[in-house]
Amino acid sequence: MTILTAADVPTATPHRVPETSRADVLAYVSEIARLTKPAAIHWCDGSQTEREALITELIAAGTIEKLNDELRPNSYLARSDESDVARVESRTFICSENEKDAGPTNNWADPDEMRATLGGLFTESMRGRTMYVVPFLMGPVGSPVTRVGIEITDSPYVVVSMGIMTRMGRIALDVIESGAEWVKAVHSIGAPLEHGEPDVAWPSNPTKYISHFPETREIWSFGSAYGGNALLGKKSFALRIASAMARDEGWLAEHMMLVKITSPEGQVSHIAAAFPSACGKTNFAMMQPTLPGWTVETLGDDIVWMWIDEDGKLRGINPEAGFFGVAPGTSAKTNPIAMDTIWGNTIFTNVARTDDGDVWWEGMSKPIPEHLIDWRGNEWTAGSAEPAAHPNSRFTVAIDQCPSAAAEWNDPRGVVIDAIVFGGRRSTTMPLVVESRSWEHGVYLGATMASERTAAAEGVVGELRRDPFAMAPFTGYNVGDHWQHWLTIGERLATSGHAPRIFHVNWFRRDASGTFLWPGFGDNVRVVKWIMDRIAGRVDANVSPVGSLPKLGDLQLQGLDISVDDAHQILTVDSDDIRADALDAQKLLDLVGDTVPRAVRRENERTLTLCD
Ligand code: O2Y
Ligand code: MN
């Protein structure tokens, strides 16, 4: 067994002794300590006492400040460095042995070269800091797809955030002790401290690497303490590494939200849905339906892991335990459930602070405060040109605080998935809802799904961006192989006759004057109702080149201020538009090249034929 020696940790004693007998865990911690030379090592147990100690430390360091306990109990505000405010796709790498296995949508780096680069960067990178050993579970204890990770990090902010976003500490170490395999994830902010050197509130490094080694299931992240770059259970593990695991082991790790819907008659359905950013995915996950008697309960807002059970049914869990939600635009009007969720016990990052010690952000739909402290920590007045909250400012909060959380969110058996929904923001072309002709056609709809850029994203506003399965930055392997994996899962589901049905939705169709044709939000339950009616065989559909469309009378429109003409417009497609879109999608298929499955090419050709 490898144990830590004084030479591994030269300047201080560990806070807490290792609580594992697993030699591979001890060897990993020892190897990283030897490389990064921290001042101390802390094995996290996930306890309340530990959390409180870390919070005290973060306040003392100026990384977070306590909010007004009466207005926002037990909640904190963090302000990041101005250069460390979002995931950095340009610094995110898939280091597969063969370049082709990363595919054309990922940044590939040679694994040996990347290891050499990271070896240099991580050398003594934790000097003067505590190295935290953070065991975590993705998924509830006992689920067939639950997986374990160990994140080693020198950021206490990451530790407390991982404590919200995952099942962290002793609970995970116990699963490791029982013999489970685990994923290695090491994270350093890359800001070693000399003895006596003053620290900054948000230490980070302008050089950033978020590197993934899918074959050895390893993650190495350097330079950033923000969100997806640093909370390695989320995008790095639960999507990039897990998607490669899922391909090898026959399950699915997807960028989807998951909801439980109950009709007034008591019919229960579960929908997993993938949307590119800025398409209302979180709002869908926390929908308050406008149709009487309907309920939507939340299982997850970002990631779903799915597997085929012994009855041949697709089941899903949310591997996470928290939400890392975008604050701006979240309001009592757009998402009252999210607002109720973050009543307290929440870490806010890069939002503005009100004079009475609460939080504020653009779109929070109360009168704009006269005066604030903005996300940079500067004075802000209502006339300021800059936004008070950063556009990517976030709240981090536990799912169990969500008033609409379904009881099953923590059930290791997961839920049976009845429908898969893809969506995008399209002002033209795509109808409000369409059902795929078949599983293969559904995979084609997922592969070619697209969204128009909003001002919140880099690039030209309105430009159409293909984002296959909303996984463009998150598939840990070749995108064409991902499509093939979906086809293979579909073949397995077909043998049992339990394949979920696949749909595509578009809440964002506009008329000629640019006005939205569909109210969205809670009225999207009307679309969900049609989806459930289709699954139950209660309604027929109109055939179109893009799939099966609702008949006008089958979409429940009572109580909506929508003209028959407008309703007709969102429920029909123009063959010329669909043809142009299918031709445009060929650019993506050509980019993906010879890993595009034949069935996906065929569905593209069939779409074109149906347009003639
Ligand atoms: O910028 C970040 O680090 C956060 S990105 C994120 C956070 C929560 C859910 N989804 C995303 C995403 O980029 O898809
Ligand atoms: Mn996401």
Side-chain angles (χ1 to χ4, degrees), residues 436-588:
S436 68
R437 296 186 281 271
S438 61
W439 183 273
E440 288 78 7
H441 181 233
V443 171
Y444 170 74
L445 290 178
T448 57
M449 63 192 261
S451 205
E452 288 155 17
R453 283 183 211 265
T454 64
E458 279 176 318
V460 182
V461 173
E463 187 185 58
L464 194 67
R465 179 181 182 244
R466 301 268 162 205
D467 185 356
F469 287 79
M471 284 283 278
F474 305 124
T475 309
Y477 59 100
N478 188 302
V479 59
D481 294 341
H482 180 234
W483 302 347
Q484 180 54 55
H485 183 52
W486 268 84
L487 291 166
T488 307
I489 292 280
E491 282 164 21
R492 286 174 54 203
L493 288 165
T495 60
S496 63
H498 288 308
R501 309 268 282 265
I502 303 182
F503 299 81
H504 184 284
V505 298
N506 173 24
W507 317 133
F508 301 96
R509 272 287 281 266
R510 293 178 193 251
D511 66 14
S513 71
T515 307
F516 286 116
L517 288 163
W518 180 249
F521 299 102
D523 284 313
N524 292 337
V525 71
R526 298 165 191 271
V527 173
V528 168
K529 178 182 180 309
W530 183 77
I531 288 173
M532 287 173 66
D533 284 343
R534 283 293 290 167
I535 293 170
R538 285 189 287 265
V539 290
D540 205 357
N542 291 326
V543 174
S544 87
V546 76
S548 304
L549 299 166
K551 291 182 179 287
L552 190 53
D554 289 336
L555 191 71
Q556 164 73 271
L557 296 176
Q558 271 144 19
L560 274 192
D561 185 17
I562 185 168
S563 70
V564 173
D565 277 358
D566 285 353
H568 179 75
Q569 207 178 320
I570 55 177
L571 297 181
T572 50
V573 292
D574 181 306
S575 290
D576 290 343
D577 288 351
I578 298 299
R579 182 186 299 107
D581 196 59
L583 289 171
D584 182 73
Q586 286 180 351
K587 289 187 221 149
L588 172 69

Side-chain angles (χ1 to χ4, degrees), residues 234-235 255 281 302 474:
K234 196 172 181 59
K235 304 298 185 180
H255 189 205
K281 184 168 149 192
D302 196 37
F474 305 124

Side-chain angles (χ1 to χ4, degrees), residues 356-425:
D356 55 3
D358 200 1
V359 287
W360 192 85
W361 47 79
E362 278 67 23
M364 204 205 224
S365 76
K366 50 182 179 179
I368 298 174
E370 289 289 304
H371 177 261
L372 294 164
I373 300 297
D374 73 9
W375 70 275
R376 293 183 169 94
N378 296 330
E379 305 284 329
W380 184 96
T381 50
S384 296
E386 295 286 318
H390 187 279
N392 193 38
S393 54
R394 298 272 165 173
F395 53 79
T396 311
V397 66
I399 294 180
D400 61 12
Q401 281 200 191
C402 178
S404 66
E408 298 88 341
W409 82 266
N410 202 20
D411 186 340
R413 292 167 302 176
V415 295
V416 173
I417 308 292
D418 301 286
I420 304 271
V421 173
F422 300 117
R425 174 182 286 267

Side-chain angles (χ1 to χ4, degrees), residues 176-200:
I176 294 175
E177 282 299 287
S178 72
E181 286 183 16
W182 50 280
V183 166
K184 295 174 175 175
V186 55
H187 165 251
S188 177
I189 51 179
L193 270 182
E194 294 308 330
H195 188 65
E197 185 187 338
D199 205 354
V200 293

